[in-house]
């Protein structure tokens, strides 16, 4: 059950310099690793919508829908939905592993490459983490770490390359699987917000 899950934590973890981007990655990492607790739901409800000079955006609308869902769902329902959607009693309706959606190479090759990249960054799973490194929440944690490393050209290039290899091409199919599942309710607005955030990140990293 999700209540006994130990989150993936990559070390070292440093305070992010870009609080908005890192904060969204942290939120999504938590939501996709286990069902939300009461504090997380309250933080979503209480947070402000993403603000832009252009006025309402797809990201702001998706956040508003997520906040509404967080306001109306109870913790046990959300956690049970997480278990039914991503864990299941056999084959889960939706797999949270990015390599499943990267079909150009075998999963083991992707995991080997990913582990090599993490090692080159000085990162590794915490000893009590059970999930493989390509779990989407782990990838989001890596992005949060990379953001915390600064915003010079070299740091941004690392973000762009990691995002392109493991997130940009896998997350759309992952989110589509969630929204297509009859099991998903609370996690549909989570997926919609993820997709909206992906678009913003893709555009931002392209112009860096």
């Amino acid at each position: 059950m999700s209540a006994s899950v130990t989150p993936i934590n990559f070390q070292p973890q440093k305070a992010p310099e870009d609080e908005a981007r890192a904060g969204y990655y942290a939120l999504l990492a938590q939501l996709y690793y286990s069902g939300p607790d009461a504090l997380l739901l309250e933080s979503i409800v209480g947070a402000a919508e993403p603000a832009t000079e252009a006025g309402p955006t797809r990201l702001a609308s998706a956040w508003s829908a997520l906040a509404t869902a967080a306001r109306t769902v109870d913790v046990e329902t959300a956690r049970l939905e997480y278990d039914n959607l991503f864990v299941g009693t056999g084959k889960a309706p939706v797999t949270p592993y990015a390599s499943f959606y990267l079909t150009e190479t075998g999963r083991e090759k992707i995991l080997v490459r990913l582990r090599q990249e993490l090692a080159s960054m000085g990162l590794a799973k915490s000893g009590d983490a059970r999930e493989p490194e390509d779990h989407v929440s782990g990838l989001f944690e890596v992005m949060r770490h990379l953001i915390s490393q600064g915003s010079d050209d070299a740091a941004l290039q690392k973000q762009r390359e990691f995002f392109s290899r493991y997130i940009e091409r896998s997350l759309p199919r992952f989110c589509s699987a969630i929204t297509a599942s009859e099991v998903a309710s609370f996690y549909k607005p989570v997926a919609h917000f993820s997709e909206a955030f992906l678009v913003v990140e893709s555009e931002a990293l392209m112009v860096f």
Side-chain angles (χ1 to χ4, degrees):
M1 297 295 289
S2 60
S4 63
V5 167
T6 301
I8 293 177
N9 290 311
F10 290 95
Q11 300 296 332
Q13 291 186 347
K14 298 183 179 180
E17 296 181 14
D18 185 333
E19 292 185 1
R21 291 176 63 218
Y24 289 139
Y25 277 118
L27 170 66
L28 292 174
Q30 189 170 353
L31 284 170
Y32 285 128
Y33 203 84
S34 64
D37 58 20
L39 183 61
L40 183 59
L41 292 175
E42 290 172 6
S43 69
I44 294 172
V45 172
E49 291 183 4
T52 66
E53 294 180 359
T57 63
R58 177 185 176 186
L59 185 65
S61 297
W63 179 264
S64 179
L66 176 56
T68 298
R71 185 181 298 110
T72 55
V73 74
D74 65 83
V75 172
E76 290 304 316
T77 298
R79 294 178 76 88
L80 180 61
E81 180 183 324
Y82 177 91
D83 288 334
N84 290 336
L85 187 61
F86 300 114
V87 181
T89 56
K91 179 177 173 58
V94 178
T95 180
Y97 304 110
S99 61
F100 178 81
Y101 306 99
L102 300 174
T103 57
E104 76 282 2
T105 56
R107 186 179 185 203
E108 286 305 316
K109 291 182 179 180
I110 293 173
L111 283 172
V112 168
R113 183 179 66 187
L114 175 57
R115 287 165 183 157
Q116 291 172 340
E117 289 188 37
L118 294 176
S120 72
M121 299 176 197
L123 302 177
K125 290 194 304 180
S126 59
D128 54 357
R130 304 174 183 176
E131 301 291 350
E133 290 84 349
D134 67 326
H135 194 290
V136 292
S137 66
L139 300 179
F140 291 152
E141 285 285 352
V142 174
M143 282 300 297
R144 182 171 67 156
H145 167 80
L146 292 175
I147 292 169
S148 78
Q149 300 306 292
S151 56
D152 59 23
D153 289 345
L156 291 171
Q157 183 64 20
K158 288 182 180 179
Q159 293 176 37
R160 184 185 302 115
E161 290 176 352
F162 189 88
F163 179 84
S164 176
R165 267 195 294 274
Y166 299 109
I167 297 176
E168 188 172 29
R169 293 182 296 118
S170 64
L171 192 66
R173 294 182 63 196
F174 170 63
C175 291
S176 294
I178 294 172
T179 55
S181 175
E182 295 180 355
V183 175
S185 178
F186 170 74
Y187 272 88
K188 285 186 178 180
V190 174
H192 291 155
F193 177 75
S194 302
E195 291 176 306
F197 180 56
L198 172 68
V199 171
V200 172
E201 278 289 275
S202 298
E203 293 174 351
L205 289 171
M206 282 180 60
V207 300
F208 281 151

